[in-house]
Structure formats: C-alpha cells, structure tokens
Amino acid sequence: KPRASPLVPRSRSELGARRRRPPAARPKPPCLLRLAGGGRLASAALGAMPADGEMGETSSMDLVRQQLHEAQTTMQDNMRAMMERDTQLNSLQAKSTELQGSSDAFFRASRRVHRSQLWQRYRLYALAAVLGSWVVCWIAFPRYLIQYVLVSLVLVAVAFLIRALILARDKRLEEAQVHLQGGGGGEGMMQRAPLE
C-alpha cells in the first residue's frame, strides 16, 4: 500500500473536517474597526495607530535611538574611567618622583656617612703611622728628627686640606643635583597631556 501524504486527505471525512475548521483568528486591521462614537473616533484611532510599514520603521528608529543612547552612555563611562585613570597615573607619577628623590637623598647621605667613616679609620691609621715613623726617626736618626717632623706635619696638613676640598666639591655636586631634580620641575621627564 502506498504511503499517504499528510497533506493529502485520506478520506472524504478528513477532507470535510479540514474544510470545516475555522481559519486562525487574525487581528482585524485598524481600518475595519468600528467604534461606537462614529467616524471621528475611528479616524482618530487610525491616526494614532501606525500602519504596518510605519510600525516597523518606528520600532527600528526606537531601536537605533536605544543603541545610540547605550553607545553614548558607554562612551561617557569610558571617559569617566579615563579621567580616573589619568588622576591615578598622575598621583602614581608624583609618588614615584617623590620616592625617587627620597632614595637619591638616602643614597647621597649613606655615601657621605660611608666616606666619613672611611676617612676616620684611615686618618687614625695615618696618624698612628706618622707617630710610629717619628719614634723610628728619633731612635735611628735623632739628628734629622726636627726636619722629619716638620715635613710629616706639612704632609698631614696637605692631606687634611685635600680632604676638605673633596668634601666641598661633593657638597656642591649634591646641591646641584638636588637643584636640578627639585627646582627643574622634571624637565627631563615626559609629561602627559591633560584630557580635555
């Protein structure tokens, strides 16, 4: 037996049943509505309700407006986030500059203390060596002791003078570095342009 297609009715009773089925209820177009108030209300209702073509255009316009509004909101949020980021970056840059200045000052102070300690230690060794040489000269060459003491005192004075000059030069260099870093306003560093 050939198989019957579902679209083709198998018997006359099915055919009649399909014909008797009422069509699906479709909404009536607005132009067929009858209102109790007469033609004026019907025309007002027709004017308020857009036609099918206009309904699609209006909904697409509303959709475009909504998307535009969302895009503007997102852009404003992004601008706010950029401004907050800019503020945080400026704050971070100021803190890092301050930290760099503090670390430089600490480095200079530690270097100065280290040199001072070295000078004190070497100064004691040098004075002990000079006194020891005086004793050796007094025992071995008592005739030349006065000349040797005078020459050694001159050499010690020259050493102290050289030390004072080195300290003064280092102090001037440090002051110049501090002036360039603090007073220069960070000319060597790149500055970011503010957002408008």
Side-chain angles (χ1 to χ4, degrees):
K1 220 176 184 187
R3 210 169 186 190
S5 170
L7 297 177
V8 177
R10 293 184 201 149
S11 64
R12 287 186 174 210
S13 62
E14 271 186 41
L15 182 62
R18 282 191 181 178
R19 285 184 186 163
R20 282 186 229 135
R21 249 187 249 165
R26 286 186 283 160
K28 293 184 179 180
C31 60
L32 299 178
L33 287 176
R34 293 197 178 218
L35 299 174
R40 224 186 276 153
L41 287 175
S43 64
L46 284 175
M49 297 182 72
D52 287 340
E54 290 177 8
M55 181 73 137
E57 290 177 14
T58 304
S59 64
S60 65
M61 288 295 288
D62 289 340
L63 181 64
V64 168
R65 283 187 186 128
Q66 182 182 5
Q67 289 175 348
L68 182 63
H69 179 69
E70 289 174 1
Q72 285 177 340
T73 304
T74 304
M75 188 175 64
Q76 289 171 353
D77 291 343
N78 288 342
M79 290 298 287
R80 271 190 226 102
M82 281 177 47
M83 289 174 61
E84 289 173 4
R85 179 183 163 271
D86 186 48
T87 303
Q88 290 172 350
L89 284 175
N90 286 338
S91 172
L92 186 62
Q93 185 177 7
K95 288 178 182 178
S96 66
T97 304
E98 180 180 334
L99 184 62
Q100 180 67 35
S102 298
S103 68
D104 288 345
F106 177 76
F107 176 73
R108 286 191 301 272
S110 66
R111 186 174 56 186
R112 193 176 330 134
V113 167
H114 179 69
R115 285 180 181 170
S116 174
Q117 288 176 346
L118 283 177
W119 170 250
Q120 287 177 0
R121 185 174 19 181
Y122 293 144
R123 182 178 59 182
L124 289 176
Y125 292 151
L127 288 177
V130 167
L131 289 177
S133 67
W134 286 354
V135 169
V136 169
C137 186
W138 180 60
I139 293 173
F141 307 104
R143 233 179 336 169
Y144 301 111
L145 179 65
I146 294 176
Q147 291 92 357
Y148 184 73
V149 168
L150 289 176
V151 169
S152 62
L153 284 176
V154 168
L155 290 176
V156 168
V158 168
F160 275 98
L161 183 63
I162 289 172
R163 170 69 179 156
L165 290 174
I166 290 173
L167 284 177
R169 184 195 63 170
D170 288 346
K171 188 173 184 179
R172 278 195 313 263
L173 288 175
E174 286 177 12
E175 288 174 356
Q177 286 177 350
V178 168
H179 177 69
L180 286 176
Q181 288 176 356
E187 292 172 2
M189 295 187 308
M190 286 182 26
Q191 297 291 326
R192 294 183 323 109
L195 292 175
E196 293 187 54

